[in-house]
Amino acid sequence: MTSHSAHRPAGGGHRRSVALFGGTFDPIHSGHIAVAQAAQRRFHLDAIYFIPSARPPHKSPSELTLFVHRYTMVALACADNPGFFPSLAEAPAGGAGPHAFYSIDTVKKFRREHPDDHVYFIVGADQFLGIPTWKNYEGLLDSCDFIVASRPGFRLDALRLVIPPEKLGRAPSHDGHKIVLRKSVVNLLTTVASHVSSTEVRERLQRKQVIRSLVPPRVEEYILGQALYR
Ligand code: ATP
């Protein structure tokens, strides 16, 4: 798992390369899609699983739109993109309110269920810079390769600073495109620069402004039809 060169296992079969793309997706927007499309092209991904979190640890549950709406919008966006799949990996389990979901648990579970896949975790630069606050982030850094997408306002060269020095591999560990760790690789996706955020989409809707081009057409139709974010 230390490089993405070994796609074909000894048995001769095709080793799938897949990416997990977690988020709040409140709502999913064209920035998310641009990141996933760029990652799909560059890393020849067989599948990208979009994982809306029923309960992201860093967001207050009272601020969140119902999971069923967020999941539906993700599914609608995926329908227009071959190789994109909505995932229920962080869906509410029922019973009392959903517990927080942590990426380390989601990645480990996926790897247990799909031991032959080469797994990447997609994350924006803003989120990666906060990774030291995530549950068992050192374990997460060891557990899969990363695709970190550039986001306006965040410097990719700062990403190195959040990686514990003892995790860095031997020089050259940083070539501008990736940071090589002892057990994984943090790949930098510099070809996307989308300013869109879910916050902007929600704010525009509250101000009754148009959101065309900020979200996929089917997502716009769903938001307007369900009167979300008013
Ligand atoms: P909000 O504005 O509500 O905080 P958001 O737009 O950041 O939301 P999330 O669902 O929280 O959307 O993001 C999921 C993942 O996608 C995160 O890793 C985030 O960094 C990344 N991401 C979101 N928008 C962009 C973008 N425009 N460019 C690159 N990465 C992005």
Side-chain angles (χ1 to χ4, degrees):
M1 204 185 22
T2 51
S3 86
H4 49 268
S5 57
H7 285 274
R8 292 183 192 280
H14 174 63
R15 184 187 182 200
R16 283 199 331 158
S17 285
V18 306
L20 310 184
F21 192 3
T24 309
F25 299 119
D26 195 9
I28 190 166
H29 56 68
S30 52
H32 296 128
I33 302 298
V35 165
Q37 288 173 338
Q40 186 182 44
R41 275 194 301 274
R42 172 151 162 218
F43 298 98
H44 308 289
L45 300 173
D46 296 290
I48 300 180
Y49 297 100
F50 289 73
I51 310 176
S53 177
R55 174 100 157 71
H58 294 101
K59 293 202 173 159
S60 156
S62 62
E63 294 168 6
L64 299 175
T65 303
L66 284 178
F67 177 83
V68 68
H69 287 311
R70 293 186 286 118
Y71 178 83
T72 301
M73 292 186 280
V74 165
L76 288 169
C78 287
D80 286 327
N81 290 278
F84 288 11
F85 301 99
S87 165
L88 288 168
E90 297 191 2
H99 60 84
F101 285 91
Y102 297 99
S103 300
I104 178 76
D105 302 326
T106 304
V107 171
K108 280 190 169 168
K109 183 163 184 284
F110 187 91
R111 290 183 58 79
R112 273 197 307 276
E113 292 170 353
H114 305 273
D116 296 330
D117 288 355
H118 180 170
V119 180
Y120 294 90
F121 189 84
I122 299 178
V123 61
D126 58 313
Q127 294 285 315
F128 193 84
L129 287 172
I131 210 168
T133 65
W134 295 17
K135 178 184 164 188
N136 187 6
Y137 85 103
E138 300 204 8
L140 179 62
L141 286 173
D142 287 342
S143 68
C144 64
D145 287 343
F146 286 76
I147 298 171
V148 182
S150 55
R151 203 168 179 181
F154 294 90
R155 290 176 47 187
L156 286 177
D157 56 5
L159 300 180
R160 214 169 183 280
L161 302 176
V162 302
I163 298 171
E166 66 275 14
K167 292 225 171 281
L168 293 171
R170 294 186 194 286
S173 60
H174 185 195
D175 68 359
H177 298 288
K178 61 181 186 290
I179 306 169
V180 179
L181 279 59
R182 290 187 189 280
K183 296 193 178 170
S184 62
V185 177
V186 175
N187 299 281
L188 311 181
L189 193 62
T190 53
T191 49
V192 272
S194 164
H195 283 84
V196 185
S197 68
S198 300
T199 303
E200 183 191 356
V201 175
R202 293 193 302 272
E203 287 177 355
R204 288 185 71 87
L205 285 159
Q206 273 152 19
R207 293 197 297 261
K208 308 216 178 323
Q209 294 172 328
V210 292
I211 53 164
R212 189 148 303 143
S213 85
L214 299 186
V215 297
R218 289 179 199 241
V219 173
E220 180 187 12
E221 195 184 338
Y222 185 85
I223 289 172
L224 300 179
Q226 298 284 341
L228 300 179
Y229 308 113
R230 287 204 169 160

